Amino acid sequence: MASVAPALAALEESVIRWMARDVCGLPEGSGGLSTSGGSMATFSATVAARHNRLGEDLAGGTVYTTAFAHHSVAKAARLAGIPAAHIRTVPHTPDLRMDHHAAAAMIRADRDAGLRPFLLVATAGTTDTGTVDPLPELVDLARREDVWLHVDAAYDSGGGPGGRKPHLVSGDTVLNE
């Protein structure tokens, strides 16, 4: 789009930088893109993770999420070329949060079986219960296992114009190193 409408591309980039830094409190250099809605945002994140972690070879690529994640998560994985058999539903705790111990065990077992875990999708407020997954533990897991962590804020990201909720998501929660 930059070659077709350079002024609009520059405007979008400027707004994204402002939102990342001033509205959400993310570090300098943070960025993103504007999408038409949550489903497209989830698809964009899934494709970015797939490209970053798997490259051109999608064989064995595996995604991890919970039964309480937004329906767009599984749809995005399928549209991104991930077989349904490689979309894992991680068990949840009694308080409906992702069981990070179970996620770790599943990732290890799949890696041992020759699969390629690449994406862990957590939620910062599910659409049905408002549940927030244990984000600090999942950040640690994602770093340890070298998988991309996407936090889907289906209910309320807490970082937008409606107000910040730093107890839900801190500025360094979604680092994909």
Side-chain angles (χ1 to χ4, degrees):
M1 179 164 146
S3 63
V4 177
L8 292 177
L11 176 63
E12 179 185 30
E13 184 178 328
S14 176
V15 168
I16 296 291
R17 260 195 330 270
W18 167 76
M19 287 187 70
R21 187 181 55 243
D22 297 341
V23 176
C24 297
L26 296 174
E28 190 66 38
S30 296
L33 63 120
S34 182
T35 66
S36 59
S39 292
M40 199 62 189
T42 299
F43 178 62
S44 298
T46 302
V47 171
R50 183 200 71 191
H51 178 74
N52 181 271
R53 294 301 197 256
L54 300 177
E56 298 298 319
D57 179 10
L58 307 185
T62 309
V63 175
Y64 305 83
T65 191
T66 69
F68 299 106
H70 193 267
H71 67 87
S72 65
V73 173
K75 185 193 309 184
R78 294 292 290 128
L79 288 171
I82 306 305
H86 291 188
I87 302 170
R88 304 286 194 246
T89 302
V90 178
H92 57 82
T93 59
D95 59 355
L96 308 180
R97 300 169 78 207
M98 182 184 290
D99 181 336
H100 63 95
H101 297 294
M106 292 171 78
I107 291 170
R108 276 192 305 276
D110 283 346
R111 202 178 301 281
D112 290 347
L115 296 178
R116 298 169 62 206
F118 78 97
L119 175 60
L120 176 63
V121 180
T123 57
T126 61
T127 54
D128 51 357
T129 66
T131 303
V132 177
D133 287 328
L135 299 178
E137 292 86 351
L138 294 172
V139 167
D140 290 343
L141 172 62
R143 285 183 174 144
R144 228 179 17 255
E145 293 294 336
D146 193 30
V147 297
W148 184 289
L149 174 63
H150 172 65
V151 180
D152 182 55
Y155 178 72
D156 179 12
S157 67
R164 296 187 67 204
K165 294 182 183 150
H167 63 283
L168 296 183
V169 184
S170 66
D172 64 351
T173 296
V174 195
L175 290 176
N176 294 297
E177 301 165 324

